[in-house]
Amino acid sequence: MDERLEEKAFPGTGITILRQLFLLFISACLLSGCGSSKVDLTQEIGARQILVVTTSDWSATDGVLVAHEKVGGRWRRALEPIAVQIGRAGMAWGPGLHRAKLNQPPVKIEGDGKTPAGIFPLDSIYGYEDLSAKMDYLKVDTNTFCVDDPKSKYYNQIVRGDEVDKDWDSAETMRMESDAYKYGIVVGYNTNPPVAGHGSCIFYHIGQPGGTTAGCTAMTEANILKLIQFLDKRKTPIIVQAPQAVYRSLAQIYELP
């Protein structure tokens, strides 16, 4: 697939008040040295849906996604495990809802071919045609772009070319000749505010077994449609992506499934 299928987010996508409070909590935690104290994501940001993507190690290019939903105060598996493909160079830490790891390698940068590791919100979905879903939806066409030029004021945003003044040299066309972006999920990565060079336009989109991406997470069309029907913005869905051993540590700290 096109190696420039990288990583971004919708224009004007803000975060909820609960998520802002959670980010303030994490900042205070880092300053106070709260160590490995546990954080209940349900209590802090109201997350009741989690997609967990794990790989064998930092350099692996394939993994497994498991969807969970909180029912009666406990995490329960909601779908059968889904095979996924990730960045051609594996994973690397990126800024998210987890405690900062940006001083510890590997660290994600723009164009490195790595899928961001950490905990991130799922903001919206998009597609070529009208679609019924429980998430905010954007119908995209050949005039819809996700800007990956760090010099642009629209960096890491999805914009319409006929609604903004073009100031970028590089951007993803959101409707391509292929079906890679026929349906997709927008990851709230590096969005509040976007930091130039930390990576952009991170999506879940359609891919084929044995392939890789330039930093997104890909799966078959049938499986991405299952996820789209599962996700519900009222349940504040998030994703957690990490190598298996790292995920186990994150799960202990954040009381993940």
Side-chain angles (χ1 to χ4, degrees), residues 34-208:
C34 61
S36 60
S37 57
K38 292 185 177 182
V39 177
D40 187 330
L41 288 176
T42 298
Q43 179 180 350
E44 298 296 340
I45 63 170
R48 289 181 289 146
Q49 290 183 330
I50 294 182
L51 306 184
V52 176
V53 173
T54 55
T55 59
S56 58
D57 54 48
W58 287 106
S59 61
T61 58
D62 59 354
V64 176
L65 182 155
V66 181
H68 302 268
E69 189 161 54
K70 205 154 200 179
V71 179
R74 300 184 64 181
W75 290 111
R76 301 184 185 277
R77 181 181 292 182
L79 300 172
E80 290 299 312
I82 293 172
V84 297
Q85 302 82 51
I86 65 166
R88 62 181 181 272
M91 284 190 185
W93 288 114
L97 300 178
H98 50 286
R99 289 181 176 88
K101 293 283 186 179
L102 299 184
N103 60 339
Q104 300 181 23
V107 176
K108 179 162 182 59
I109 59 174
E110 183 70 46
D112 61 2
K114 295 179 183 289
T115 294
I119 304 174
F120 312 100
L122 290 174
D123 289 335
S124 318
I125 62 175
Y126 64 86
Y128 295 172
E129 305 297 339
D130 292 331
L131 183 68
S132 175
K134 292 169 284 188
M135 299 283 285
D136 293 337
Y137 178 74
L138 176 68
K139 185 176 179 179
V140 299
D141 58 29
T142 55
N143 204 27
T144 312
F145 302 94
C146 189
V147 181
D148 56 14
D149 182 350
K151 299 186 297 298
S152 170
K153 65 182 177 183
Y154 301 110
Y155 177 65
N156 200 26
Q157 296 182 33
I158 295 177
V159 298
R160 285 196 56 83
D162 55 357
E163 294 178 355
V164 300
D165 293 327
K166 179 182 177 182
D167 69 346
W168 59 82
D169 294 323
S170 176
E172 295 277 358
T173 302
M174 295 299 296
R175 179 157 185 164
M176 301 176 290
E177 293 182 1
S178 74
D179 284 341
Y181 282 2
K182 181 179 178 181
Y183 306 109
I185 303 168
V186 178
V187 179
Y189 172 76
N190 189 25
T191 60
N192 191 52
V195 178
H198 278 201
S200 55
C201 307
I202 298 294
F203 306 131
Y204 279 31
H205 61 71
I206 297 171
Q208 298 301 322

Side-chain angles (χ1 to χ4, degrees), residues 2-15:
D2 189 336
E3 286 200 345
R4 296 189 54 210
L5 299 181
E6 289 183 345
E7 26 322 331
K8 332 290 181 192
F10 284 146
T13 350
I15 59 176

